[in-house]
Amino acid sequence: MAPWDSLVTSSNSSIGQLASFYLSGIPGYEDVQHFISIPFCVFYLIGIVGNCTVLRIIYTDKSLHEPMYYFLAMLSVTDMGMSISTLPTVLRAFWFDAKEIEMNTCVAQMYFIHTFSLMESAVLLAMAFDRYVAICDPLRYSCKLTPQRIVYIGVFIVIRCSAVLPVILVRIPTFSFCHSHDLSHSFCLHQDVIRLACSDISFNVLYGLFVVAFCWGVDSLGIFFSYAFILHSVLRIASRGGKLKALSTCVSHICAVLILYVPMIGLSLVHRFAKHSSPIIHVTMADIYLLVPPVLNPVIYSIKTKQIRQGLLRILLSKSIRLANT
C-alpha cells in the first residue's frame, strides 16, 4: 500500500471513530434562531402544561376513573415523553448554539423519541378499541375493560414498544461515520443518523421497516378496522340524533390519530423519496411530527370532552378564587 493510501485510510478511520454529531437549527436562519426559539418554547410549554393539567383532572376527579380517561392519561404521558425527549437538545441548539452531541447521548435520545412515538400509536389503538366496545357492545363495556385489563394493556404497550428498538440502536456506535457528522435536526432520529454511516446499514434499514410494519402498520390497521365496525354499528342506529351522539364520542380520538399519523407519514415520505429536497422541509416535517401532537391533543380533548372541559374550568375558577382572597 502506498504511503498516501495509508494516510487516507488512517484519516478516514479516525474520522469514522469520532464520537459526536452536530445538530442543526433552522437552516438559513442561524442569525435569528434566538427569536425562532420563542415559538418552540411556547409549544413545549403548552404541551407539557396541557398534558399535566389533563393528568391532574383525571387524577382528582373520581368520576373520570373510567377506561376512556385511563387511556387518555396514557396518551398524555406519552405526549409529555415525546416533548421532554427533544426539549434539551432543541433549546441548547437555539439558545446557546451548543450543537455538539455525543454518540451515546444521541443514541439514548433516539431510543426515547422513537419509543414514545411507538407508544403513542399503540395507545391510540387501545383508545380505538375502547370506542369500539363502548359503541358496539355498551352493555359489556365495564366487563370487558376492567381496571386490571387496562393495566395489562398498559404494561403490554410499554414492553412491546421499548423492546423492539435496542436491536438496531446498539449497532450505531459500531458504525463508521467517515463523511459528514451534521444531522438535519435539533435532535437525533434513527433515519437521519444512519444516512451518514459508511458501514453496511442494510440490517438497520430492513429491521426499521419491520418495526414500522409490526408496530405502526398493525396499529393503523387495528384503528381502521375498529372504526369500520363502529361505523357499521352507528349506521344501524335508527335516530339521527343517536348516530350523531355516538360519532361525537369519537371526534377527539379521530383528531388525535390524524395529527400523529399524517405528519409521521409525511416525514417518512420526505426521508424516503425527497432526500435532496430543501433542508427546511425536512426540519419542518420533523418538528411538526414531534411537537404538534403533544400540543394539540390536550387542547382538542379539553374542547371536545365535556368532563375534561369542566375539570379545567374548576381548576381555573379555584385559582381565581384563591387569588381574589389573597
Side-chain angles (χ1 to χ4, degrees):
M1 180 181 293
W4 174 250
D5 293 335
S6 176
L7 179 60
V8 171
T9 303
S10 175
S11 176
N12 284 339
S13 177
S14 64
I15 294 174
Q17 295 302 318
L18 287 176
S20 297
F21 292 105
Y22 296 94
L23 306 170
S24 63
I26 307 295
Y29 296 89
E30 288 80 6
D31 295 337
V32 293
Q33 64 183 11
H34 292 92
F35 296 100
I36 296 176
S37 68
I38 295 175
F40 278 87
C41 293
V42 172
F43 284 142
Y44 279 118
L45 184 63
I46 293 174
I48 294 174
V49 173
N51 285 293
C52 285
T53 302
V54 170
L55 289 173
R56 179 183 173 184
I57 292 171
I58 295 173
Y59 178 76
T60 56
D61 191 341
K62 302 299 182 182
S63 66
L64 300 183
H65 291 183
E66 298 177 358
M68 173 183 174
Y69 299 103
Y70 289 144
F71 289 128
L72 178 56
M74 293 181 193
L75 184 66
S76 294
V77 171
T78 57
D79 279 338
M80 286 196 297
M82 289 178 66
S83 295
I84 295 172
S85 297
T86 59
L87 177 64
T89 55
V90 170
L91 295 187
R92 280 179 66 242
F94 281 132
W95 284 355
F96 309 109
D97 201 31
K99 297 182 178 181
E100 184 176 358
I101 182 170
E102 293 183 354
M103 172 71 74
N104 292 334
T105 305
C106 186
V107 171
Q109 186 180 50
M110 267 188 279
Y111 174 79
F112 286 111
I113 289 175
H114 292 296
T115 295
F116 280 115
S117 178
L118 294 174
M119 286 176 62
E120 180 133 352
S121 176
V123 170
L124 289 175
L125 172 60
M127 296 176 79
F129 177 72
D130 168 79
R131 291 299 85 206
Y132 160 75
V133 176
I135 293 174
C136 299
D137 196 6
L139 297 180
R140 300 178 61 188
Y141 180 75
S142 58
C143 298
K144 286 187 174 181
L145 290 174
T146 62
Q148 186 179 23
R149 287 180 179 174
I150 293 173
V151 171
Y152 289 155
I153 291 172
V155 172
F156 174 76
I157 289 173
V158 172
I159 293 175
R160 190 197 76 163
C161 298
S162 60
V164 295
L165 293 173
V167 176
I168 53 174
L169 296 186
V170 296
R171 290 169 49 86
I172 292 179
T174 67
F175 288 164
S176 173
F177 297 89
C178 56
H179 299 305
S180 171
H181 283 240
D182 295 329
L183 300 177
S184 303
H185 311 292
S186 302
F187 38 80
C188 295
L189 296 177
H190 176 257
Q191 59 267 39
D192 192 27
V193 171
I194 63 171
R195 72 178 178 84
L196 303 177
C198 301
S199 305
D200 181 11
I201 61 170
S202 56
F203 176 79
N204 281 56
V205 173
L206 292 175
Y207 189 85
L209 292 175
F210 164 76
V211 170
V212 170
F214 177 70
C215 295
W216 289 91
V218 170
D219 293 345
S220 59
L221 282 176
I223 294 170
F224 173 80
F225 283 117
S226 294
Y227 275 100
F229 287 119
I230 288 172
L231 186 60
H232 179 265
S233 180
V234 168
L235 292 177
R236 295 167 58 186
I237 299 175
S239 65
R240 183 171 180 272
K243 293 178 181 179
L244 293 176
K245 184 178 180 180
L247 290 175
S248 66
T249 64
C250 302
V251 171
S252 299
H253 178 257
I254 293 173
C255 291
V257 171
L258 291 176
I259 63 177
L260 176 70
Y261 276 87
V262 171
M264 183 274 295
I265 294 172
L267 180 63
S268 298
L269 291 176
V270 167
H271 273 285
R272 192 72 60 185
F273 302 110
K275 297 179 180 179
H276 303 293
S277 60
S278 172
I280 194 70
I281 296 178
H282 291 259
V283 172
T284 302
M285 291 301 301
D287 289 337
I288 291 174
Y289 164 57
L290 292 174
L291 284 177
V292 170
V295 171
L296 290 187
N297 282 339
V299 174
I300 291 171
Y301 275 94
S302 297
I303 294 173
K304 299 298 296 182
T305 307
K306 180 180 178 181
Q307 292 84 345
I308 299 296
R309 187 168 62 249
Q310 290 175 342
L312 179 60
L313 290 175
R314 283 195 298 270
I315 292 175
L316 295 176
L317 287 174
S318 63
K319 288 185 177 180
S320 62
I321 290 173
R322 285 198 298 268
L323 290 174
N325 292 333
T326 56

